[in-house]
Amino acid sequence: MEATTAKMKILLTGATGLVGRDLAFAAAEGGFELLSAQHACPPERGKPVLLDMSSSDSIRKAFAANRPDVVIHAAAMTDVDACESNKELALAVNAKATEAIATEARRAGSHLVYVSTDYVFDGSKGSYGENDEPNPVNFYGKSKLMGEVAAERFASTWCIARTSTPYGLHPRRKSFPVVVAERLSAGQEMKVVSDQRTSPTHTANLSMMILELAARRSEGTLHVSSSTGISRLEFAARVAKELELDGSLLRPASGEEVGWRAVRPRDTTLNVSKANSLLAAKPESLEESLRVFIPSLKRQQMHARTRTDK
Ligand SMILES: NC(=O)c1ccc[n+]([C@@H]2O[C@H](COP(=O)([O-])OP(=O)(O)OC[C@H]3O[C@@H](n4cnc5c(N)ncnc54)[C@H](OP(=O)(O)O)[C@@H]3O)[C@@H](O)[C@H]2O)c1
């Protein structure tokens, strides 16, 4: 990728998040000129650019000063229950800020890649394709769908990249398989939702797909997730097996039993055949991604144990 994209300037929002942090590392290593939006936490990669999404003035200044070729908009309010209880903030961060970013992207001549979610669907059928009708069942999904509509309406060139249950390693944000590993390693029982299916996506694979969309200035909507649909309970059991932990500590539960307040869609698995035929960076199966993720998780656990022993 390096030879053709060496001069492409990317502004990345959400550069400190679960998805954005890996994207920032991949972009920096891939030879892009990276500008990383800074909000509460300083980004680890890229030139920091102050950008508060709750301020349209801050967004305008960031674009005027930097005029990126592409903006990858991965920042969002992602706590589904918090979005339900603070709709005003969810609206401001996920919908209004996306409108402002799309507007400024058009003014600056930047291509917009908007990272969106499988939660725009109602989960009644699963295996959703790009042409299926969104119908979100909670406010997080609604606010992200408003973001999608804003991207389409206000940016001149745009791509909506929908993903599902991203997981990876992060210094502060524990993704689902990391929590499973920690709980089972400590010999603790864990209640896991058994009746919800998604397409859990390794952030390393996701980063490569999103960067390719940016480099090619791809247009339209694309599903960029794992090619494997699975329930949370099955996913947890798979992680336990790979780490040789006691899977019998996993207890099937309902969303209510694990404390989810906002309603979740039942099956938002994504059909990735379009990404599969379009991209050089293919959507990986769970099997393929775990071959990369599990060794990295083991290394992290080993380092953590070494630090505790000292
Ligand atoms: N997590 C999921 O299950 C999931 C599923 C499907 C799709 N997605 C989508 O994937 C994208 C990345 O999600 P993620 O899991 O990486 O999110 P995350 O870990 O919660 O990170 C959110 C990012 O957004 C930034 N941010 C939040 N509020 C901001 C504000 N007011 N101004 C500027 N930046 C702000 C945060 O910066 P600070 O840390 O500095 O506040 C952080 O970098 C999002 O668009 C999300 O909707 C997520």
Side-chain angles (χ1 to χ4, degrees), residues 14 16-19 39-41 51-53 74-76 78 115-117 140 144 163 165-166 173:
T16 56
L18 180 65
V19 171
H39 177 233
C41 310
L51 197 154
D52 177 4
M53 294 203 304
T78 57
V115 182
S116 191
T117 172
Y140 167 69
K144 290 292 294 184
T163 193
T165 319
R173 182 109 146 58

mmCIF file with all atom_site columns, all heavy atoms in Angstrom, residues 14 16-19 39-41 51-53 74-76 78 115-117 140 144 163 165-166 173, ligand 1:
data_model
loop_
_atom_site.group_PDB
_atom_site.id
_atom_site.type_symbol
_atom_site.label_atom_id
_atom_site.label_alt_id
_atom_site.label_comp_id
_atom_site.label_asym_id
_atom_site.label_entity_id
_atom_site.label_seq_id
_atom_site.pdbx_PDB_ins_code
_atom_site.Cartn_x
_atom_site.Cartn_y
_atom_site.Cartn_z
_atom_site.occupancy
_atom_site.B_iso_or_equiv
_atom_site.pdbx_formal_charge
_atom_site.auth_seq_id
_atom_site.auth_comp_id
_atom_site.auth_asym_id
_atom_site.auth_atom_id
_atom_site.pdbx_PDB_model_num
ATOM   1   N N   . GLY A 1 14  ? -11.547 9.794  16.607 1.00 0.00 ? 14  GLY A N   1
ATOM   2   C CA  . GLY A 1 14  ? -11.656 8.574  17.426 1.00 0.00 ? 14  GLY A CA  1
ATOM   3   C C   . GLY A 1 14  ? -10.350 7.801  17.459 1.00 0.00 ? 14  GLY A C   1
ATOM   4   O O   . GLY A 1 14  ? -10.350 6.577  17.668 1.00 0.00 ? 14  GLY A O   1
ATOM   5   N N   . THR A 1 16  ? -8.149  7.440  19.557 1.00 0.00 ? 16  THR A N   1
ATOM   6   C CA  . THR A 1 16  ? -7.762  6.805  20.827 1.00 0.00 ? 16  THR A CA  1
ATOM   7   C C   . THR A 1 16  ? -8.706  5.665  21.197 1.00 0.00 ? 16  THR A C   1
ATOM   8   O O   . THR A 1 16  ? -8.539  5.033  22.233 1.00 0.00 ? 16  THR A O   1
ATOM   9   C CB  . THR A 1 16  ? -7.791  7.845  21.967 1.00 0.00 ? 16  THR A CB  1
ATOM   10  O OG1 . THR A 1 16  ? -9.110  8.425  21.988 1.00 0.00 ? 16  THR A OG1 1
ATOM   11  C CG2 . THR A 1 16  ? -6.757  8.933  21.752 1.00 0.00 ? 16  THR A CG2 1
ATOM   12  N N   . GLY A 1 17  ? -9.698  5.406  20.372 1.00 0.00 ? 17  GLY A N   1
ATOM   13  C CA  . GLY A 1 17  ? -10.707 4.385  20.697 1.00 0.00 ? 17  GLY A CA  1
ATOM   14  C C   . GLY A 1 17  ? -10.236 2.979  20.345 1.00 0.00 ? 17  GLY A C   1
ATOM   15  O O   . GLY A 1 17  ? -9.129  2.786  19.838 1.00 0.00 ? 17  GLY A O   1
ATOM   16  N N   . LEU A 1 18  ? -11.089 2.027  20.604 1.00 0.00 ? 18  LEU A N   1
ATOM   17  C CA  . LEU A 1 18  ? -10.773 0.617  20.339 1.00 0.00 ? 18  LEU A CA  1
ATOM   18  C C   . LEU A 1 18  ? -10.425 0.401  18.868 1.00 0.00 ? 18  LEU A C   1
ATOM   19  O O   . LEU A 1 18  ? -9.416  -0.227 18.530 1.00 0.00 ? 18  LEU A O   1
ATOM   20  C CB  . LEU A 1 18  ? -11.975 -0.243 20.743 1.00 0.00 ? 18  LEU A CB  1
ATOM   21  C CG  . LEU A 1 18  ? -11.834 -1.742 20.543 1.00 0.00 ? 18  LEU A CG  1
ATOM   22  C CD1 . LEU A 1 18  ? -10.753 -2.323 21.427 1.00 0.00 ? 18  LEU A CD1 1
ATOM   23  C CD2 . LEU A 1 18  ? -13.167 -2.437 20.818 1.00 0.00 ? 18  LEU A CD2 1
ATOM   24  N N   . VAL A 1 19  ? -11.245 0.930  17.987 1.00 0.00 ? 19  VAL A N   1
ATOM   25  C CA  . VAL A 1 19  ? -11.020 0.783  16.546 1.00 0.00 ? 19  VAL A CA  1
ATOM   26  C C   . VAL A 1 19  ? -9.959  1.784  16.080 1.00 0.00 ? 19  VAL A C   1
ATOM   27  O O   . VAL A 1 19  ? -9.003  1.431  15.378 1.00 0.00 ? 19  VAL A O   1
ATOM   28  C CB  . VAL A 1 19  ? -12.338 1.015  15.767 1.00 0.00 ? 19  VAL A CB  1
ATOM   29  C CG1 . VAL A 1 19  ? -12.091 1.079  14.271 1.00 0.00 ? 19  VAL A CG1 1
ATOM   30  C CG2 . VAL A 1 19  ? -13.351 -0.089 16.099 1.00 0.00 ? 19  VAL A CG2 1
ATOM   31  N N   . HIS A 1 39  ? -9.187  14.376 21.632 1.00 0.00 ? 39  HIS A N   1
ATOM   32  C CA  . HIS A 1 39  ? -10.329 14.800 22.451 1.00 0.00 ? 39  HIS A CA  1
ATOM   33  C C   . HIS A 1 39  ? -9.895  14.742 23.903 1.00 0.00 ? 39  HIS A C   1
ATOM   34  O O   . HIS A 1 39  ? -9.099  15.558 24.358 1.00 0.00 ? 39  HIS A O   1
ATOM   35  C CB  . HIS A 1 39  ? -11.538 13.895 22.135 1.00 0.00 ? 39  HIS A CB  1
ATOM   36  C CG  . HIS A 1 39  ? -12.742 14.179 22.950 1.00 0.00 ? 39  HIS A CG  1
ATOM   37  N ND1 . HIS A 1 39  ? -13.394 13.213 23.668 1.00 0.00 ? 39  HIS A ND1 1
ATOM   38  C CD2 . HIS A 1 39  ? -13.423 15.329 23.165 1.00 0.00 ? 39  HIS A CD2 1
ATOM   39  C CE1 . HIS A 1 39  ? -14.428 13.764 24.289 1.00 0.00 ? 39  HIS A CE1 1
ATOM   40  N NE2 . HIS A 1 39  ? -14.467 15.039 23.990 1.00 0.00 ? 39  HIS A NE2 1
ATOM   41  N N   . ALA A 1 40  ? -10.340 13.710 24.659 1.00 0.00 ? 40  ALA A N   1
ATOM   42  C CA  . ALA A 1 40  ? -9.966  13.619 26.072 1.00 0.00 ? 40  ALA A CA  1
ATOM   43  C C   . ALA A 1 40  ? -8.553  13.054 26.257 1.00 0.00 ? 40  ALA A C   1
ATOM   44  O O   . ALA A 1 40  ? -7.792  13.518 27.110 1.00 0.00 ? 40  ALA A O   1
ATOM   45  C CB  . ALA A 1 40  ? -10.995 12.755 26.806 1.00 0.00 ? 40  ALA A CB  1
ATOM   46  N N   . CYS A 1 41  ? -8.207  12.033 25.469 1.00 0.00 ? 41  CYS A N   1
ATOM   47  C CA  . CYS A 1 41  ? -6.898  11.365 25.630 1.00 0.00 ? 41  CYS A CA  1
ATOM   48  C C   . CYS A 1 41  ? -5.986  11.736 24.473 1.00 0.00 ? 41  CYS A C   1
ATOM   49  O O   . CYS A 1 41  ? -6.455  11.823 23.334 1.00 0.00 ? 41  CYS A O   1
ATOM   50  C CB  . CYS A 1 41  ? -7.066  9.851  25.618 1.00 0.00 ? 41  CYS A CB  1
ATOM   51  S SG  . CYS A 1 41  ? -8.315  9.256  26.732 1.00 0.00 ? 41  CYS A SG  1
ATOM   52  N N   . LEU A 1 51  ? -9.734  18.442 18.368 1.00 0.00 ? 51  LEU A N   1
ATOM   53  C CA  . LEU A 1 51  ? -11.047 18.370 17.711 1.00 0.00 ? 51  LEU A CA  1
ATOM   54  C C   . LEU A 1 51  ? -12.085 17.851 18.701 1.00 0.00 ? 51  LEU A C   1
ATOM   55  O O   . LEU A 1 51  ? -12.049 16.689 19.104 1.00 0.00 ? 51  LEU A O   1
ATOM   56  C CB  . LEU A 1 51  ? -10.959 17.443 16.487 1.00 0.00 ? 51  LEU A CB  1
ATOM   57  C CG  . LEU A 1 51  ? -12.091 17.550 15.472 1.00 0.00 ? 51  LEU A CG  1
ATOM   58  C CD1 . LEU A 1 51  ? -11.617 17.121 14.098 1.00 0.00 ? 51  LEU A CD1 1
ATOM   59  C CD2 . LEU A 1 51  ? -13.282 16.700 15.856 1.00 0.00 ? 51  LEU A CD2 1
ATOM   60  N N   . ASP A 1 52  ? -12.974 18.755 19.108 1.00 0.00 ? 52  ASP A N   1
ATOM   61  C CA  . ASP A 1 52  ? -14.071 18.358 19.984 1.00 0.00 ? 52  ASP A CA  1
ATOM   62  C C   . ASP A 1 52  ? -15.325 18.283 19.123 1.00 0.00 ? 52  ASP A C   1
ATOM   63  O O   . ASP A 1 52  ? -15.772 19.285 18.579 1.00 0.00 ? 52  ASP A O   1
ATOM   64  C CB  . ASP A 1 52  ? -14.239 19.387 21.112 1.00 0.00 ? 52  ASP A CB  1
ATOM   65  C CG  . ASP A 1 52  ? -15.424 19.047 22.008 1.00 0.00 ? 52  ASP A CG  1
ATOM   66  O OD1 . ASP A 1 52  ? -16.056 17.990 21.796 1.00 0.00 ? 52  ASP A OD1 1
ATOM   67  O OD2 . ASP A 1 52  ? -15.717 19.836 22.911 1.00 0.00 ? 52  ASP A OD2 1
ATOM   68  N N   . MET A 1 53  ? -15.874 17.101 19.039 1.00 0.00 ? 53  MET A N   1
ATOM   69  C CA  . MET A 1 53  ? -17.004 16.911 18.134 1.00 0.00 ? 53  MET A CA  1
ATOM   70  C C   . MET A 1 53  ? -18.275 17.605 18.607 1.00 0.00 ? 53  MET A C   1
ATOM   71  O O   . MET A 1 53  ? -19.221 17.722 17.849 1.00 0.00 ? 53  MET A O   1
ATOM   72  C CB  . MET A 1 53  ? -17.270 15.429 17.931 1.00 0.00 ? 53  MET A CB  1
ATOM   73  C CG  . MET A 1 53  ? -16.131 14.743 17.208 1.00 0.00 ? 53  MET A CG  1
ATOM   74  S SD  . MET A 1 53  ? -16.703 13.273 16.435 1.00 0.00 ? 53  MET A SD  1
ATOM   75  C CE  . MET A 1 53  ? -17.407 12.440 17.840 1.00 0.00 ? 53  MET A CE  1
ATOM   76  N N   . ALA A 1 74  ? -14.189 7.918  12.933 1.00 0.00 ? 74  ALA A N   1
ATOM   77  C CA  . ALA A 1 74  ? -14.432 6.727  13.770 1.00 0.00 ? 74  ALA A CA  1
ATOM   78  C C   . ALA A 1 74  ? -14.810 7.105  15.192 1.00 0.00 ? 74  ALA A C   1
ATOM   79  O O   . ALA A 1 74  ? -15.017 6.227  16.023 1.00 0.00 ? 74  ALA A O   1
ATOM   80  C CB  . ALA A 1 74  ? -13.183 5.839  13.784 1.00 0.00 ? 74  ALA A CB  1
ATOM   81  N N   . ALA A 1 75  ? -14.871 8.406  15.492 1.00 0.00 ? 75  ALA A N   1
ATOM   82  C CA  . ALA A 1 75  ? -15.247 8.819  16.853 1.00 0.00 ? 75  ALA A CA  1
ATOM   83  C C   . ALA A 1 75  ? -16.752 8.691  17.012 1.00 0.00 ? 75  ALA A C   1
ATOM   84  O O   . ALA A 1 75  ? -17.513 8.957  16.082 1.00 0.00 ? 75  ALA A O   1
ATOM   85  C CB  . ALA A 1 75  ? -14.821 10.263 17.097 1.00 0.00 ? 75  ALA A CB  1
ATOM   86  N N   . ALA A 1 76  ? -17.176 8.253  18.179 1.00 0.00 ? 76  ALA A N   1
ATOM   87  C CA  . ALA A 1 76  ? -18.615 8.141  18.436 1.00 0.00 ? 76  ALA A CA  1
ATOM   88  C C   . ALA A 1 76  ? -18.846 7.943  19.920 1.00 0.00 ? 76  ALA A C   1
ATOM   89  O O   . ALA A 1 76  ? -17.923 7.615  20.673 1.00 0.00 ? 76  ALA A O   1
ATOM   90  C CB  . ALA A 1 76  ? -19.202 6.958  17.668 1.00 0.00 ? 76  ALA A CB  1
ATOM   91  N N   . THR A 1 78  ? -20.263 5.336  21.995 1.00 0.00 ? 78  THR A N   1
ATOM   92  C CA  . THR A 1 78  ? -20.528 3.928  21.655 1.00 0.00 ? 78  THR A CA  1
ATOM   93  C C   . THR A 1 78  ? -21.209 3.142  22.769 1.00 0.00 ? 78  THR A C   1
ATOM   94  O O   . THR A 1 78  ? -21.563 1.985  22.564 1.00 0.00 ? 78  THR A O   1
ATOM   95  C CB  . THR A 1 78  ? -19.210 3.199  21.295 1.00 0.00 ? 78  THR A CB  1
ATOM   96  O OG1 . THR A 1 78  ? -18.314 3.314  22.401 1.00 0.00 ? 78  THR A OG1 1
ATOM   97  C CG2 . THR A 1 78  ? -18.579 3.781  20.053 1.00 0.00 ? 78  THR A CG2 1
ATOM   98  N N   . VAL A 1 115 ? -17.404 5.517  9.854  1.00 0.00 ? 115 VAL A N   1
ATOM   99  C CA  . VAL A 1 115 ? -17.482 4.179  10.456 1.00 0.00 ? 115 VAL A CA  1
ATOM   100 C C   . VAL A 1 115 ? -18.829 4.049  11.154 1.00 0.00 ? 115 VAL A C   1
ATOM   101 O O   . VAL A 1 115 ? -19.155 4.817  12.060 1.00 0.00 ? 115 VAL A O   1
ATOM   102 C CB  . VAL A 1 115 ? -16.320 3.948  11.442 1.00 0.00 ? 115 VAL A CB  1
ATOM   103 C CG1 . VAL A 1 115 ? -16.394 2.528  12.006 1.00 0.00 ? 115 VAL A CG1 1
ATOM   104 C CG2 . VAL A 1 115 ? -14.970 4.172  10.750 1.00 0.00 ? 115 VAL A CG2 1
ATOM   105 N N   . SER A 1 116 ? -19.616 3.085  10.695 1.00 0.00 ? 116 SER A N   1
ATOM   106 C CA  . SER A 1 116 ? -20.949 2.914  11.271 1.00 0.00 ? 116 SER A CA  1
ATOM   107 C C   . SER A 1 116 ? -21.113 1.485  11.822 1.00 0.00 ? 116 SER A C   1
ATOM   108 O O   . SER A 1 116 ? -20.121 0.775  11.997 1.00 0.00 ? 116 SER A O   1
ATOM   109 C CB  . SER A 1 116 ? -22.027 3.267  10.245 1.00 0.00 ? 116 SER A CB  1
ATOM   110 O OG  . SER A 1 116 ? -23.293 3.345  10.891 1.00 0.00 ? 116 SER A OG  1
ATOM   111 N N   . THR A 1 117 ? -22.338 1.115  12.069 1.00 0.00 ? 117 THR A N   1
ATOM   112 C CA  . THR A 1 117 ? -22.577 -0.060 12.905 1.00 0.00 ? 117 THR A CA  1
ATOM   113 C C   . THR A 1 117 ? -23.669 -0.993 12.373 1.00 0.00 ? 117 THR A C   1
ATOM   114 O O   . THR A 1 117 ? -24.607 -0.531 11.692 1.00 0.00 ? 117 THR A O   1
ATOM   115 C CB  . THR A 1 117 ? -22.974 0.416  14.331 1.00 0.00 ? 117 THR A CB  1
ATOM   116 O OG1 . THR A 1 117 ? -23.395 -0.697 15.105 1.00 0.00 ? 117 THR A OG1 1
ATOM   117 C CG2 . THR A 1 117 ? -24.128 1.418  14.300 1.00 0.00 ? 117 THR A CG2 1
ATOM   118 N N   . TYR A 1 140 ? -28.765 4.385  20.258 1.00 0.00 ? 140 TYR A N   1
ATOM   119 C CA  . TYR A 1 140 ? -27.411 4.345  19.666 1.00 0.00 ? 140 TYR A CA  1
ATOM   120 C C   . TYR A 1 140 ? -27.544 4.096  18.156 1.00 0.00 ? 140 TYR A C   1
ATOM   121 O O   . TYR A 1 140 ? -26.986 4.850  17.340 1.00 0.00 ? 140 TYR A O   1
ATOM   122 C CB  . TYR A 1 140 ? -26.580 3.237  20.332 1.00 0.00 ? 140 TYR A CB  1
ATOM   123 C CG  . TYR A 1 140 ? -25.302 2.915  19.583 1.00 0.00 ? 140 TYR A CG  1
ATOM   124 C CD1 . TYR A 1 140 ? -24.256 3.829  19.529 1.00 0.00 ? 140 TYR A CD1 1
ATOM   125 C CD2 . TYR A 1 140 ? -25.161 1.702  18.899 1.00 0.00 ? 140 TYR A CD2 1
ATOM   126 C CE1 . TYR A 1 140 ? -23.091 3.534  18.824 1.00 0.00 ? 140 TYR A CE1 1
ATOM   127 C CE2 . TYR A 1 140 ? -24.005 1.401  18.201 1.00 0.00 ? 140 TYR A CE2 1
ATOM   128 C CZ  . TYR A 1 140 ? -22.974 2.320  18.161 1.00 0.00 ? 140 TYR A CZ  1
ATOM   129 O OH  . TYR A 1 140 ? -21.828 2.030  17.449 1.00 0.00 ? 140 TYR A OH  1
ATOM   130 N N   . LYS A 1 144 ? -26.605 6.697  15.084 1.00 0.00 ? 144 LYS A N   1
ATOM   131 C CA  . LYS A 1 144 ? -25.603 6.346  14.066 1.00 0.00 ? 144 LYS A CA  1
ATOM   132 C C   . LYS A 1 144 ? -26.233 6.376  12.667 1.00 0.00 ? 144 LYS A C   1
ATOM   133 O O   . LYS A 1 144 ? -25.583 6.759  11.705 1.00 0.00 ? 144 LYS A O   1
ATOM   134 C CB  . LYS A 1 144 ? -25.006 4.965  14.358 1.00 0.00 ? 144 LYS A CB  1
ATOM   135 C CG  . LYS A 1 144 ? -24.099 4.905  15.587 1.00 0.00 ? 144 LYS A CG  1
ATOM   136 C CD  . LYS A 1 144 ? -22.787 5.673  15.420 1.00 0.00 ? 144 LYS A CD  1
ATOM   137 C CE  . LYS A 1 144 ? -21.881 5.082  14.381 1.00 0.00 ? 144 LYS A CE  1
ATOM   138 N NZ  . LYS A 1 144 ? -20.578 5.810  14.326 1.00 0.00 ? 144 LYS A NZ  1
ATOM   139 N N   . THR A 1 163 ? -19.496 -1.838 10.629 1.00 0.00 ? 163 THR A N   1
ATOM   140 C CA  . THR A 1 163 ? -18.833 -2.990 11.227 1.00 0.00 ? 163 THR A CA  1
ATOM   141 C C   . THR A 1 163 ? -19.662 -3.538 12.394 1.00 0.00 ? 163 THR A C   1
ATOM   142 O O   . THR A 1 163 ? -20.750 -3.037 12.690 1.00 0.00 ? 163 THR A O   1
ATOM   143 C CB  . THR A 1 163 ? -17.383 -2.650 11.626 1.00 0.00 ? 163 THR A CB  1
ATOM   144 O OG1 . THR A 1 163 ? -16.701 -3.866 11.914 1.00 0.00 ? 163 THR A OG1 1
ATOM   145 C CG2 . THR A 1 163 ? -17.332 -1.721 12.827 1.00 0.00 ? 163 THR A CG2 1
ATOM   146 N N   . THR A 1 165 ? -19.350 -5.511 16.418 1.00 0.00 ? 165 THR A N   1
ATOM   147 C CA  . THR A 1 165 ? -18.637 -5.988 17.614 1.00 0.00 ? 165 THR A CA  1
ATOM   148 C C   . THR A 1 165 ? -17.112 -6.036 17.429 1.00 0.00 ? 165 THR A C   1
ATOM   149 O O   . THR A 1 165 ? -16.512 -7.105 17.431 1.00 0.00 ? 165 THR A O   1
ATOM   150 C CB  . THR A 1 165 ? -19.144 -7.397 18.031 1.00 0.00 ? 165 THR A CB  1
ATOM   151 O OG1 . THR A 1 165 ? -20.550 -7.450 17.898 1.00 0.00 ? 165 THR A OG1 1
ATOM   152 C CG2 . THR A 1 165 ? -18.763 -7.723 19.455 1.00 0.00 ? 165 THR A CG2 1
ATOM   153 N N   . PRO A 1 166 ? -16.478 -4.866 17.305 1.00 0.00 ? 166 PRO A N   1
ATOM   154 C CA  . PRO A 1 166 ? -15.020 -4.893 17.158 1.00 0.00 ? 166 PRO A CA  1
ATOM   155 C C   . PRO A 1 166 ? -14.333 -5.406 18.428 1.00 0.00 ? 166 PRO A C   1
ATOM   156 O O   . PRO A 1 166 ? -14.806 -5.131 19.537 1.00 0.00 ? 166 PRO A O   1
ATOM   157 C CB  . PRO A 1 166 ? -14.652 -3.428 16.891 1.00 0.00 ? 166 PRO A CB  1
ATOM   158 C CG  . PRO A 1 166 ? -15.832 -2.623 17.292 1.00 0.00 ? 166 PRO A CG  1
ATOM   159 C CD  . PRO A 1 166 ? -17.032 -3.498 17.277 1.00 0.00 ? 166 PRO A CD  1
ATOM   160 N N   . ARG A 1 173 ? -9.544  0.223  27.125 1.00 0.00 ? 173 ARG A N   1
ATOM   161 C CA  . ARG A 1 173 ? -10.875 -0.282 26.746 1.00 0.00 ? 173 ARG A CA  1
ATOM   162 C C   . ARG A 1 173 ? -10.790 -1.800 26.607 1.00 0.00 ? 173 ARG A C   1
ATOM   163 O O   . ARG A 1 173 ? -10.066 -2.309 25.742 1.00 0.00 ? 173 ARG A O   1
ATOM   164 C CB  . ARG A 1 173 ? -11.238 0.386  25.417 1.00 0.00 ? 173 ARG A CB  1
ATOM   165 C CG  . ARG A 1 173 ? -12.551 0.042  24.879 1.00 0.00 ? 173 ARG A CG  1
ATOM   166 C CD  . ARG A 1 173 ? -13.525 1.200  24.980 1.00 0.00 ? 173 ARG A CD  1
ATOM   167 N NE  . ARG A 1 173 ? -14.450 1.205  23.858 1.00 0.00 ? 173 ARG A NE  1
ATOM   168 C CZ  . ARG A 1 173 ? -15.248 0.206  23.560 1.00 0.00 ? 173 ARG A CZ  1
ATOM   169 N NH1 . ARG A 1 173 ? -15.233 -0.908 24.279 1.00 0.00 ? 173 ARG A NH1 1
ATOM   170 N NH2 . ARG A 1 173 ? -16.064 0.301  22.524 1.00 0.00 ? 173 ARG A NH2 1
HETATM 171 N N1  . LIG B 2 .   ? -17.885 -0.696 19.928 1.00 0.00 ? 1   LIG B N1  1
HETATM 172 C C1  . LIG B 2 .   ? -18.769 -1.360 19.186 1.00 0.00 ? 1   LIG B C1  1
HETATM 173 O O1  . LIG B 2 .   ? -19.357 -2.385 19.615 1.00 0.00 ? 1   LIG B O1  1
HETATM 174 C C2  . LIG B 2 .   ? -19.048 -0.931 17.761 1.00 0.00 ? 1   LIG B C2  1
HETATM 175 C C3  . LIG B 2 .   ? -19.819 -1.755 16.933 1.00 0.00 ? 1   LIG B C3  1
HETATM 176 C C4  . LIG B 2 .   ? -20.043 -1.357 15.609 1.00 0.00 ? 1   LIG B C4  1
HETATM 177 C C5  . LIG B 2 .   ? -19.550 -0.133 15.147 1.00 0.00 ? 1   LIG B C5  1
HETATM 178 N N2  . LIG B 2 .   ? -18.844 0.661  16.000 1.00 0.00 ? 1   LIG B N2  1
HETATM 179 C C6  . LIG B 2 .   ? -18.403 1.968  15.495 1.00 0.00 ? 1   LIG B C6  1
HETATM 180 O O2  . LIG B 2 .   ? -16.986 1.944  15.380 1.00 0.00 ? 1   LIG B O2  1
HETATM 181 C C7  . LIG B 2 .   ? -16.467 3.255  15.638 1.00 0.00 ? 1   LIG B C7  1
HETATM 182 C C8  . LIG B 2 .   ? -15.361 3.152  16.665 1.00 0.00 ? 1   LIG B C8  1
HETATM 183 O O3  . LIG B 2 .   ? -15.908 2.602  17.883 1.00 0.00 ? 1   LIG B O3  1
HETATM 184 P P1  . LIG B 2 .   ? -14.962 2.217  19.107 1.00 0.00 ? 1   LIG B P1  1
HETATM 185 O O4  . LIG B 2 .   ? -15.498 0.948  19.687 1.00 0.00 ? 1   LIG B O4  1
HETATM 186 O O5  . LIG B 2 .   ? -13.528 2.326  18.699 1.00 0.00 ? 1   LIG B O5  1
HETATM 187 O O6  . LIG B 2 .   ? -15.308 3.412  20.107 1.00 0.00 ? 1   LIG B O6  1
HETATM 188 P P2  . LIG B 2 .   ? -14.612 3.775  21.522 1.00 0.00 ? 1   LIG B P2  1
HETATM 189 O O7  . LIG B 2 .   ? -13.565 2.798  21.880 1.00 0.00 ? 1   LIG B O7  1
HETATM 190 O O8  . LIG B 2 .   ? -15.739 4.026  22.462 1.00 0.00 ? 1   LIG B O8  1
HETATM 191 O O9  . LIG B 2 .   ? -13.886 5.166  21.200 1.00 0.00 ? 1   LIG B O9  1
HETATM 192 C C9  . LIG B 2 .   ? -14.630 6.314  20.921 1.00 0.00 ? 1   LIG B C9  1
HETATM 193 C C10 . LIG B 2 .   ? -13.702 7.365  20.343 1.00 0.00 ? 1   LIG B C10 1
HETATM 194 O O10 . LIG B 2 .   ? -14.489 8.527  20.076 1.00 0.00 ? 1   LIG B O10 1
HETATM 195 C C11 . LIG B 2 .   ? -13.869 9.654  20.684 1.00 0.00 ? 1   LIG B C11 1
HETATM 196 N N3  . LIG B 2 .   ? -14.878 10.610 21.138 1.00 0.00 ? 1   LIG B N3  1
HETATM 197 C C12 . LIG B 2 .   ? -15.962 10.369 21.917 1.00 0.00 ? 1   LIG B C12 1
HETATM 198 N N4  . LIG B 2 .   ? -16.626 11.525 22.137 1.00 0.00 ? 1   LIG B N4  1
HETATM 199 C C13 . LIG B 2 .   ? -15.951 12.508 21.471 1.00 0.00 ? 1   LIG B C13 1
HETATM 200 C C14 . LIG B 2 .   ? -16.130 13.911 21.295 1.00 0.00 ? 1   LIG B C14 1
HETATM 201 N N5  . LIG B 2 .   ? -17.153 14.580 21.867 1.00 0.00 ? 1   LIG B N5  1
HETATM 202 N N6  . LIG B 2 .   ? -15.229 14.600 20.537 1.00 0.00 ? 1   LIG B N6  1
HETATM 203 C C15 . LIG B 2 .   ? -14.186 13.971 19.963 1.00 0.00 ? 1   LIG B C15 1
HETATM 204 N N7  . LIG B 2 .   ? -13.958 12.626 20.086 1.00 0.00 ? 1   LIG B N7  1
HETATM 205 C C16 . LIG B 2 .   ? -14.838 11.915 20.824 1.00 0.00 ? 1   LIG B C16 1
HETATM 206 C C17 . LIG B 2 .   ? -13.112 9.084  21.872 1.00 0.00 ? 1   LIG B C17 1
HETATM 207 O O11 . LIG B 2 .   ? -12.073 9.976  22.235 1.00 0.00 ? 1   LIG B O11 1
HETATM 208 P P3  . LIG B 2 .   ? -11.630 10.134 23.791 1.00 0.00 ? 1   LIG B P3  1
HETATM 209 O O12 . LIG B 2 .   ? -11.262 8.739  24.252 1.00 0.00 ? 1   LIG B O12 1
HETATM 210 O O13 . LIG B 2 .   ? -10.468 11.049 23.743 1.00 0.00 ? 1   LIG B O13 1
HETATM 211 O O14 . LIG B 2 .   ? -12.847 10.670 24.477 1.00 0.00 ? 1   LIG B O14 1
HETATM 212 C C18 . LIG B 2 .   ? -12.578 7.768  21.290 1.00 0.00 ? 1   LIG B C18 1
HETATM 213 O O15 . LIG B 2 .   ? -11.403 7.998  20.551 1.00 0.00 ? 1   LIG B O15 1
HETATM 214 C C19 . LIG B 2 .   ? -17.666 4.115  16.082 1.00 0.00 ? 1   LIG B C19 1
HETATM 215 O O16 . LIG B 2 .   ? -18.103 4.877  14.991 1.00 0.00 ? 1   LIG B O16 1
HETATM 216 C C20 . LIG B 2 .   ? -18.719 3.107  16.457 1.00 0.00 ? 1   LIG B C20 1
HETATM 217 O O17 . LIG B 2 .   ? -20.013 3.614  16.295 1.00 0.00 ? 1   LIG B O17 1
HETATM 218 C C21 . LIG B 2 .   ? -18.558 0.286  17.272 1.00 0.00 ? 1   LIG B C21 1
#
